[in-house]
Short mmCIF file of all heavy atoms in Angstrom, two decimals:
data_model
loop_
_atom_site.label_atom_id
_atom_site.label_comp_id
_atom_site.label_asym_id
_atom_site.label_seq_id
_atom_site.Cartn_x
_atom_site.Cartn_y
_atom_site.Cartn_z
N ASP A 174 135.74 149.98 -3.85
CA ASP A 174 136.53 150.76 -4.81
C ASP A 174 138.00 150.42 -4.59
O ASP A 174 138.61 150.84 -3.62
CB ASP A 174 136.28 152.26 -4.58
CG ASP A 174 136.89 153.12 -5.67
OD1 ASP A 174 137.90 152.66 -6.29
OD2 ASP A 174 136.40 154.22 -5.92
N ILE A 175 138.55 149.62 -5.51
CA ILE A 175 139.94 149.20 -5.30
C ILE A 175 140.92 150.14 -5.99
O ILE A 175 142.13 149.93 -5.96
CB ILE A 175 140.20 147.76 -5.80
CG1 ILE A 175 139.80 147.63 -7.28
CG2 ILE A 175 139.47 146.76 -4.94
CD1 ILE A 175 140.28 146.33 -7.91
N VAL A 176 140.37 151.17 -6.60
CA VAL A 176 141.26 152.10 -7.30
C VAL A 176 141.49 153.38 -6.48
O VAL A 176 142.61 153.86 -6.37
CB VAL A 176 140.66 152.48 -8.67
CG1 VAL A 176 141.51 153.53 -9.36
CG2 VAL A 176 140.52 151.25 -9.54
N HIS A 177 140.41 153.91 -5.91
CA HIS A 177 140.50 155.21 -5.24
C HIS A 177 140.52 155.09 -3.73
O HIS A 177 139.84 154.25 -3.17
CB HIS A 177 139.30 156.08 -5.63
CG HIS A 177 139.14 156.24 -7.11
ND1 HIS A 177 138.22 155.52 -7.83
CD2 HIS A 177 139.81 157.01 -8.00
CE1 HIS A 177 138.32 155.85 -9.11
NE2 HIS A 177 139.27 156.75 -9.24
N ASN A 178 141.30 155.97 -3.09
CA ASN A 178 141.21 156.05 -1.64
C ASN A 178 140.11 157.04 -1.26
O ASN A 178 139.48 157.65 -2.14
CB ASN A 178 142.57 156.40 -1.01
CG ASN A 178 143.11 157.74 -1.47
OD1 ASN A 178 142.35 158.68 -1.71
ND2 ASN A 178 144.42 157.84 -1.60
N GLU A 181 140.27 160.56 -2.72
CA GLU A 181 140.03 160.61 -4.16
C GLU A 181 138.55 160.45 -4.48
O GLU A 181 138.05 161.00 -5.47
CB GLU A 181 140.86 159.53 -4.87
CG GLU A 181 142.35 159.85 -4.82
CD GLU A 181 143.23 158.71 -5.27
OE1 GLU A 181 142.76 157.55 -5.30
OE2 GLU A 181 144.42 158.96 -5.58
N MET A 184 137.06 164.14 -3.14
CA MET A 184 137.41 165.43 -3.77
C MET A 184 136.45 165.88 -4.86
O MET A 184 136.00 167.02 -4.85
CB MET A 184 138.84 165.40 -4.30
CG MET A 184 139.85 165.76 -3.24
SD MET A 184 141.50 165.90 -3.94
CE MET A 184 141.38 167.41 -4.85
N TYR A 211 137.61 153.98 13.02
CA TYR A 211 137.55 152.51 13.02
C TYR A 211 137.02 151.97 11.70
O TYR A 211 137.35 150.88 11.29
CB TYR A 211 136.70 151.99 14.20
CG TYR A 211 137.57 151.43 15.32
CD1 TYR A 211 137.59 152.01 16.58
CD2 TYR A 211 138.38 150.32 15.10
CE1 TYR A 211 138.38 151.51 17.59
CE2 TYR A 211 139.18 149.81 16.10
CZ TYR A 211 139.18 150.40 17.35
OH TYR A 211 139.97 149.90 18.36
N LEU A 212 136.19 152.77 11.03
CA LEU A 212 135.69 152.34 9.72
C LEU A 212 136.86 152.26 8.75
O LEU A 212 136.97 151.34 7.95
CB LEU A 212 134.65 153.34 9.22
CG LEU A 212 133.77 152.86 8.08
CD1 LEU A 212 132.72 151.90 8.59
CD2 LEU A 212 133.09 154.03 7.39
N ALA A 213 137.75 153.26 8.85
CA ALA A 213 138.89 153.34 7.94
C ALA A 213 140.03 152.44 8.37
O ALA A 213 140.91 152.13 7.58
CB ALA A 213 139.37 154.79 7.85
N GLY A 214 140.05 152.08 9.64
CA GLY A 214 141.14 151.27 10.16
C GLY A 214 142.39 152.07 10.44
O GLY A 214 143.47 151.52 10.59
N ASP A 224 143.49 167.62 3.56
CA ASP A 224 144.49 167.88 2.54
C ASP A 224 143.87 167.91 1.15
O ASP A 224 144.41 168.55 0.25
CB ASP A 224 145.59 166.81 2.59
CG ASP A 224 146.46 166.94 3.84
OD1 ASP A 224 146.30 167.95 4.56
OD2 ASP A 224 147.27 166.04 4.08
N GLY A 225 142.75 167.22 0.99
CA GLY A 225 142.14 167.14 -0.34
C GLY A 225 141.09 168.20 -0.62
O GLY A 225 140.66 168.36 -1.76
N VAL A 226 140.64 168.93 0.41
CA VAL A 226 139.55 169.87 0.13
C VAL A 226 139.97 171.33 0.15
O VAL A 226 139.14 172.21 0.06
CB VAL A 226 138.35 169.66 1.09
CG1 VAL A 226 137.82 168.25 0.97
CG2 VAL A 226 138.72 169.98 2.51
N GLY A 227 141.24 171.59 0.28
CA GLY A 227 141.71 172.96 0.15
C GLY A 227 141.59 173.78 1.42
O GLY A 227 140.70 174.63 1.55
N ALA A 228 142.48 173.54 2.38
CA ALA A 228 142.41 174.30 3.62
C ALA A 228 143.51 175.35 3.64
O ALA A 228 144.22 175.51 4.64
CB ALA A 228 142.56 173.35 4.81
N TRP A 229 143.67 176.06 2.52
CA TRP A 229 144.68 177.10 2.46
C TRP A 229 144.18 178.27 1.64
O TRP A 229 143.72 178.07 0.54
CB TRP A 229 145.98 176.56 1.87
CG TRP A 229 147.11 177.53 2.05
CD1 TRP A 229 147.64 178.37 1.11
CD2 TRP A 229 147.83 177.80 3.27
NE1 TRP A 229 148.64 179.14 1.67
CE2 TRP A 229 148.78 178.81 2.99
CE3 TRP A 229 147.76 177.29 4.56
CZ2 TRP A 229 149.66 179.32 3.95
CZ3 TRP A 229 148.63 177.80 5.52
CH2 TRP A 229 149.56 178.79 5.21
N LYS A 267 134.93 154.35 3.47
CA LYS A 267 135.01 153.13 2.68
C LYS A 267 134.71 151.97 3.63
O LYS A 267 135.58 151.52 4.37
CB LYS A 267 136.41 152.96 2.06
CG LYS A 267 136.71 153.99 0.97
CD LYS A 267 138.06 153.74 0.32
CE LYS A 267 138.00 152.56 -0.65
NZ LYS A 267 139.28 152.32 -1.33
N VAL A 270 136.79 148.40 3.44
CA VAL A 270 138.17 148.05 3.82
C VAL A 270 138.28 147.10 5.00
O VAL A 270 139.27 146.39 5.14
CB VAL A 270 139.06 149.29 4.06
CG1 VAL A 270 139.11 150.17 2.82
CG2 VAL A 270 138.57 150.09 5.25
N GLY A 271 137.27 147.12 5.87
CA GLY A 271 137.26 146.18 6.98
C GLY A 271 136.08 145.24 6.82
O GLY A 271 135.35 145.32 5.84
N LEU A 279 132.61 146.56 17.64
CA LEU A 279 133.40 147.33 18.60
C LEU A 279 132.67 148.55 19.16
O LEU A 279 133.18 149.23 20.05
CB LEU A 279 134.73 147.77 17.97
CG LEU A 279 135.73 146.65 17.73
CD1 LEU A 279 137.08 147.23 17.34
CD2 LEU A 279 135.91 145.76 18.94
N PRO A 283 132.37 147.17 25.92
CA PRO A 283 133.63 146.44 25.75
C PRO A 283 133.88 145.37 26.80
O PRO A 283 134.74 144.51 26.61
CB PRO A 283 134.69 147.54 25.87
CG PRO A 283 134.05 148.59 26.72
CD PRO A 283 132.59 148.54 26.40
N PRO A 288 133.03 141.30 23.64
CA PRO A 288 133.87 140.08 23.62
C PRO A 288 133.13 138.86 23.10
O PRO A 288 133.76 137.86 22.75
CB PRO A 288 134.27 139.89 25.09
CG PRO A 288 134.16 141.24 25.69
CD PRO A 288 133.01 141.89 25.00
N TRP A 290 131.48 139.06 20.43
CA TRP A 290 131.50 139.36 19.00
C TRP A 290 130.15 139.21 18.30
O TRP A 290 130.06 138.55 17.25
CB TRP A 290 132.56 138.53 18.26
CG TRP A 290 133.93 139.09 18.51
CD1 TRP A 290 134.81 138.63 19.44
CD2 TRP A 290 134.54 140.21 17.89
NE1 TRP A 290 135.95 139.41 19.42
CE2 TRP A 290 135.81 140.39 18.49
CE3 TRP A 290 134.16 141.10 16.88
CZ2 TRP A 290 136.68 141.41 18.13
CZ3 TRP A 290 135.04 142.12 16.50
CH2 TRP A 290 136.28 142.27 17.12
N ILE C 205 141.00 141.68 26.50
CA ILE C 205 140.19 141.16 25.40
C ILE C 205 140.99 141.27 24.11
O ILE C 205 141.08 142.34 23.52
CB ILE C 205 138.88 141.96 25.27
CG1 ILE C 205 138.12 141.89 26.60
CG2 ILE C 205 138.04 141.41 24.14
CD1 ILE C 205 137.16 143.01 26.80
N PRO C 206 141.59 140.16 23.67
CA PRO C 206 142.34 140.24 22.40
C PRO C 206 141.36 140.57 21.29
O PRO C 206 140.31 139.95 21.17
CB PRO C 206 142.90 138.82 22.22
CG PRO C 206 142.71 138.13 23.54
CD PRO C 206 141.56 138.81 24.22
N THR C 207 141.71 141.60 20.55
CA THR C 207 140.83 142.04 19.49
C THR C 207 141.63 142.17 18.22
O THR C 207 142.71 142.74 18.23
CB THR C 207 140.24 143.43 19.85
OG1 THR C 207 139.60 143.34 21.11
CG2 THR C 207 139.27 143.90 18.80
N ARG C 208 141.12 141.67 17.17
CA ARG C 208 141.83 141.78 15.90
C ARG C 208 140.84 142.09 14.79
O ARG C 208 139.82 141.43 14.65
CB ARG C 208 142.54 140.46 15.60
CG ARG C 208 143.37 140.55 14.32
CD ARG C 208 143.79 139.17 13.84
NE ARG C 208 144.30 139.26 12.49
CZ ARG C 208 145.57 139.08 12.15
NH1 ARG C 208 146.45 138.76 13.07
NH2 ARG C 208 145.95 139.21 10.90
N LEU C 209 141.18 143.10 14.02
CA LEU C 209 140.39 143.42 12.83
C LEU C 209 141.37 143.55 11.68
O LEU C 209 142.42 144.16 11.82
CB LEU C 209 139.66 144.76 13.00
CG LEU C 209 138.51 144.82 14.00
CD1 LEU C 209 138.03 146.25 14.13
CD2 LEU C 209 137.36 143.93 13.55
N ASP C 210 141.02 142.98 10.55
CA ASP C 210 141.88 143.10 9.38
C ASP C 210 141.31 144.11 8.41
O ASP C 210 140.11 144.10 8.12
CB ASP C 210 142.00 141.73 8.69
CG ASP C 210 142.80 140.76 9.53
OD1 ASP C 210 143.97 141.05 9.79
OD2 ASP C 210 142.25 139.71 9.93
N PHE C 211 142.16 144.96 7.92
CA PHE C 211 141.73 145.97 6.95
C PHE C 211 142.57 145.84 5.68
O PHE C 211 143.78 145.65 5.74
CB PHE C 211 141.92 147.38 7.52
CG PHE C 211 140.97 147.70 8.64
CD1 PHE C 211 141.23 147.31 9.94
CD2 PHE C 211 139.80 148.40 8.38
CE1 PHE C 211 140.34 147.59 10.96
CE2 PHE C 211 138.89 148.69 9.39
CZ PHE C 211 139.17 148.28 10.69
N THR C 212 141.89 145.96 4.55
CA THR C 212 142.59 145.91 3.26
C THR C 212 142.55 147.30 2.67
O THR C 212 141.50 147.76 2.24
CB THR C 212 141.89 144.91 2.32
OG1 THR C 212 141.81 143.65 2.97
CG2 THR C 212 142.67 144.77 1.01
N ILE C 213 143.67 147.97 2.70
CA ILE C 213 143.72 149.37 2.31
C ILE C 213 144.09 149.54 0.85
O ILE C 213 145.02 148.91 0.37
CB ILE C 213 144.75 150.13 3.19
CG1 ILE C 213 144.52 149.86 4.67
CG2 ILE C 213 144.73 151.62 2.89
CD1 ILE C 213 143.32 150.51 5.27
N THR C 214 143.35 150.39 0.17
CA THR C 214 143.68 150.74 -1.21
C THR C 214 144.54 151.98 -1.16
O THR C 214 144.14 152.97 -0.56
CB THR C 214 142.38 151.06 -1.99
OG1 THR C 214 141.52 149.94 -1.89
CG2 THR C 214 142.67 151.39 -3.43
N PRO C 215 145.70 151.98 -1.80
CA PRO C 215 146.52 153.20 -1.74
C PRO C 215 145.84 154.39 -2.42
O PRO C 215 146.00 155.51 -2.00
CB PRO C 215 147.80 152.82 -2.47
CG PRO C 215 147.47 151.61 -3.28
CD PRO C 215 146.35 150.92 -2.58
N GLY C 216 145.07 154.11 -3.44
CA GLY C 216 144.48 155.21 -4.20
C GLY C 216 145.24 155.38 -5.50
O GLY C 216 146.36 154.90 -5.65
N GLU C 217 144.60 156.07 -6.45
CA GLU C 217 145.19 156.19 -7.79
C GLU C 217 146.55 156.84 -7.80
O GLU C 217 147.51 156.32 -8.40
CB GLU C 217 144.26 157.03 -8.68
CG GLU C 217 143.41 156.21 -9.58
CD GLU C 217 142.74 157.05 -10.65
OE1 GLU C 217 142.22 158.13 -10.32
OE2 GLU C 217 142.75 156.60 -11.81
N ALA C 218 146.63 158.00 -7.15
CA ALA C 218 147.90 158.73 -7.19
C ALA C 218 148.98 157.98 -6.42
O ALA C 218 150.09 157.79 -6.94
CB ALA C 218 147.71 160.14 -6.66
N PRO C 219 148.71 157.55 -5.19
CA PRO C 219 149.74 156.76 -4.51
C PRO C 219 150.12 155.51 -5.30
O PRO C 219 151.28 155.12 -5.29
CB PRO C 219 149.08 156.41 -3.18
CG PRO C 219 148.11 157.51 -2.93
CD PRO C 219 147.59 157.87 -4.28
N ARG C 247 150.10 162.74 -3.36
CA ARG C 247 148.86 162.22 -2.80
C ARG C 247 147.69 162.45 -3.74
O ARG C 247 146.57 162.29 -3.34
CB ARG C 247 148.59 162.86 -1.44
CG ARG C 247 149.44 162.19 -0.37
CD ARG C 247 150.28 163.17 0.35
NE ARG C 247 149.46 163.97 1.23
CZ ARG C 247 149.38 163.76 2.54
NH1 ARG C 247 150.06 162.81 3.12
NH2 ARG C 247 148.61 164.51 3.28
N GLY C 248 148.02 162.88 -4.93
CA GLY C 248 146.96 163.03 -5.93
C GLY C 248 146.35 164.40 -5.95
O GLY C 248 145.60 164.73 -6.87
N SER C 249 146.63 165.22 -4.96
CA SER C 249 146.06 166.57 -4.99
C SER C 249 147.04 167.54 -4.36
O SER C 249 147.87 167.17 -3.54
CB SER C 249 144.74 166.60 -4.24
OG SER C 249 144.94 166.29 -2.89
N CYS C 250 146.88 168.80 -4.76
CA CYS C 250 147.70 169.84 -4.16
C CYS C 250 146.94 170.36 -2.97
O CYS C 250 145.79 170.80 -3.11
CB CYS C 250 147.94 170.96 -5.16
SG CYS C 250 148.83 172.35 -4.45
N ALA C 251 147.55 170.33 -1.80
CA ALA C 251 146.84 170.69 -0.58
C ALA C 251 146.44 172.15 -0.52
O ALA C 251 145.48 172.50 0.15
CB ALA C 251 147.69 170.32 0.64
N THR C 252 147.15 173.01 -1.21
CA THR C 252 146.80 174.42 -1.14
C THR C 252 145.85 174.83 -2.25
O THR C 252 145.04 175.73 -2.08
CB THR C 252 148.04 175.33 -1.19
OG1 THR C 252 148.83 174.94 -2.31
CG2 THR C 252 148.86 175.18 0.07
N ALA C 254 143.85 172.57 -3.90
CA ALA C 254 142.72 171.63 -3.92
C ALA C 254 142.37 171.16 -5.32
O ALA C 254 141.20 171.01 -5.66
CB ALA C 254 141.49 172.25 -3.25
N VAL C 255 143.38 170.93 -6.14
CA VAL C 255 143.13 170.36 -7.47
C VAL C 255 143.95 169.10 -7.60
O VAL C 255 144.99 168.95 -6.96
CB VAL C 255 143.51 171.34 -8.60
CG1 VAL C 255 142.57 172.53 -8.61
CG2 VAL C 255 144.95 171.78 -8.51
N PRO C 256 143.50 168.18 -8.46
CA PRO C 256 144.26 166.94 -8.62
C PRO C 256 145.61 167.20 -9.29
O PRO C 256 145.73 168.10 -10.12
CB PRO C 256 143.38 166.08 -9.55
CG PRO C 256 142.04 166.75 -9.57
CD PRO C 256 142.26 168.17 -9.25
#
Side-chain angles (χ1 to χ4, degrees):
Chain A
D174 189 333
I175 56 169
V176 176
H177 305 102
N178 60 34
E181 290 169 342
M184 275 186 72
Y211 256 116
L212 196 76
D224 290 352
V226 301
W229 191 258
K267 291 184 76 178
V270 301
L279 290 190
W290 284 97
Chain C
I205 303 157
T207 304
R208 183 194 167 111
L209 290 173
D210 290 300
F211 290 84
T212 305
I213 309 287
T214 303
E217 260 193 316
R247 281 124 73 101
S249 63
C250 175
T252 51
V255 293

